[in-house]
Amino acid sequence: FVPGQTLFGKRRAYQRKVAYAEFEGICSGDILTFEPKDKKVLLPELLPFICQSDAFFDHALGTSAGSLSPRTSWKALKDFEFPLPPIEEQKCIAEILWAMDDAVEKWISVSLAVQRLSHVFSVNNFLLHEARKKEPNIPDGWTIGPITKLVHIDPRMPRELSDDLDVSFVPMESVLETGGISSKEDKKLGEVRKGYTYFAEGDILFAKITPCMENNKGTIAEGLTNGIGMGSTEFFVLRPRKDSGRYFVYFLSMSKTFRQKAERWMQGSAGQRRVPRDFFEKRPIVIPPQAEKNRIGMILRSLDARIKEANQHIQLMNNARMTLLNSFFNGLT
């Protein structure tokens, strides 16, 4: 391929893989390369957006064949028709869409930069030094111990809770990798009392099974009906002790460093490995003083809010771009 061509992944077209070449190179045989026959009729800079339109992907999916790795082909795609405005209008449309694409890329850069900052800050404050049997090299006022010094593991459900109580039911898939709960359903406690995990408002959920643990599934349980939640048994429930620093514990449990340590303790067969309770009870961590726990927690909470804000901008810009793109190529005559 050469600069100015559009690259389209014909294998598993539902993945919407489209790129605009800015350099010369060689690509997979599962990638089709497109270029205009006449640049005075079709602007090369507009072609990648045409290939990102819903109409084009619907055509690509509708002409794909195969079960495990469905593929479309140039023979099937060459008859795709779309509204094509005059070249001057194409230039205006392309300029708008490329500006929106550039805005998305800048927000992605912001998100990644804050994520890196959050990771560096976490590494410097979580498990800053490995616990040593002799002369641990830790800052003054910091101590060493298991995370159970900061949390209760899987607290018991109060006996007085009635089966008729409305509670939030939270399935595993509703807990996000970035933290938070995407959806929850009200159920009677009696419906979910057995076979599910109990947690309460403010508890921290920590996924213990692969790949959920490796994918960073976890959250602070908030907005629960009557302050009670029930969910998958594949979560550990971490209830912060008094003055343990809820946000310090939460971001510790979500940090890459902590997850990597937990992964090394996982037990079981391939695909069904789990973090054992022993990890929380025996694996030593470095614990800062209360004021430092609060400071670290608040800084990470602020950085997390900035990451989510940037990701919201990315989602909004992508949605706006797709709406505009589809309006151009579905509504033009």
Side-chain angles (χ1 to χ4, degrees):
F1 62 91
V2 297
Q5 289 183 333
T6 292
L7 281 60
F8 173 74
K10 67 177 181 178
R11 178 172 175 260
R12 295 175 177 166
Y14 56 82
Q15 295 180 337
R16 290 180 175 251
K17 292 187 176 181
V18 178
Y20 182 74
E22 297 179 343
F23 52 85
E24 184 177 357
I26 296 172
C27 60
S28 163
D30 276 326
I31 294 176
L32 296 173
T33 55
F34 301 148
E35 65 180 13
K37 286 185 175 181
D38 187 342
K39 295 180 181 180
K40 295 180 180 179
V41 176
L42 174 59
L43 194 70
E45 291 82 4
L46 188 63
L47 188 52
F49 295 107
I50 295 171
C51 292
Q52 290 180 48
S53 67
D54 287 342
F56 182 82
F57 273 107
D58 288 344
H59 185 82
L61 289 172
T63 56
S64 294
S67 54
L68 295 178
S69 296
R71 289 173 170 83
T72 185
S73 64
W74 170 243
K75 182 178 179 180
L77 294 177
K78 67 183 180 68
D79 294 325
F80 172 72
E81 294 184 349
F82 59 95
L84 184 65
I87 195 70
E88 290 304 317
E89 288 188 36
Q90 291 181 44
K91 291 178 181 178
C92 292
I93 294 171
E95 185 176 345
I96 292 170
L97 292 174
W98 276 110
M100 297 182 78
D101 191 75
D102 184 57
V104 170
E105 290 300 318
K106 287 180 178 177
W107 275 112
I108 290 174
S109 296
V110 169
S111 178
L112 291 175
V114 181
Q115 287 178 53
R116 286 193 294 269
L117 175 60
S118 180
H119 175 65
V120 170
F121 187 82
S122 297
V123 168
N124 286 337
N125 289 282
F126 296 150
L127 309 174
L128 178 62
H129 303 277
E130 290 294 323
R132 302 173 183 174
K133 292 183 178 179
K134 295 181 179 180
E135 298 181 1
N137 182 22
I138 61 173
D140 291 339
W142 293 46
T143 61
I144 289 178
I147 196 173
T148 46
K149 282 194 171 184
L150 300 176
V151 299
H152 300 283
I153 308 293
D154 292 340
R156 292 185 178 182
M157 182 191 304
R159 293 182 179 180
E160 64 271 17
L161 295 181
S162 168
D163 282 350
D164 292 330
L165 184 69
D166 287 327
V167 300
S168 292
F169 179 70
V170 183
M172 172 70 81
E173 57 268 22
S174 294
V175 176
L176 305 176
E177 296 173 16
T178 54
I181 298 173
S182 62
S183 63
K184 48 187 178 290
E185 178 185 357
D186 280 359
K187 287 182 178 289
K188 297 296 183 183
L189 180 57
E191 299 177 54
V192 291
R193 186 185 284 271
K194 295 183 179 179
Y196 294 98
T197 294
Y198 154 79
F199 51 92
E201 189 81 11
D203 286 346
I204 296 165
L205 303 183
F206 181 91
K208 57 183 166 182
I209 188 172
T210 49
C212 295
M213 193 283 293
E214 295 168 351
N215 288 343
N216 248 38
K217 270 186 176 282
T219 188
I220 297 178
E222 296 176 316
L224 304 178
T225 301
N226 290 315
I228 303 297
M230 300 295 292
S232 170
T233 57
E234 298 298 354
F235 282 110
F236 279 115
V237 178
L238 313 180
R239 177 168 295 173
R241 297 177 184 271
K242 184 180 179 181
D243 297 329
S244 63
R246 185 180 311 279
Y247 290 105
F248 174 84
V249 174
Y250 169 65
F251 288 110
L252 167 65
S253 73
M254 291 288 283
S255 69
K256 183 177 180 180
T257 306
F258 189 80
R259 296 274 171 154
Q260 288 174 339
K261 303 293 183 184
E263 187 178 359
R264 294 172 191 166
W265 282 61
M266 295 183 85
Q267 301 172 355
S269 58
Q272 291 295 322
R273 298 171 65 239
R274 291 172 173 82
V275 179
R277 188 185 179 98
D278 281 359
F279 172 72
F280 297 98
E281 296 174 337
K282 297 179 180 179
R283 180 63 170 81
I285 62 171
V286 177
I287 303 172
Q290 180 61 34
E292 191 69 7
K293 287 200 294 280
N294 291 339
R295 186 186 73 86
I296 293 169
M298 289 301 102
I299 290 175
L300 287 170
R301 188 183 183 191
S302 177
L303 291 174
D304 185 64
R306 299 291 79 76
I307 292 168
K308 289 178 178 177
E309 181 182 340
N311 289 341
Q312 286 175 353
H313 279 287
I314 293 167
Q315 186 65 50
L316 287 171
M317 291 298 298
N318 274 327
N319 290 343
R321 182 179 59 174
M322 286 304 300
T323 298
L324 194 60
L325 188 155
N326 288 324
S327 71
F328 285 143
F329 298 113
N330 291 336
L332 292 171
T333 58

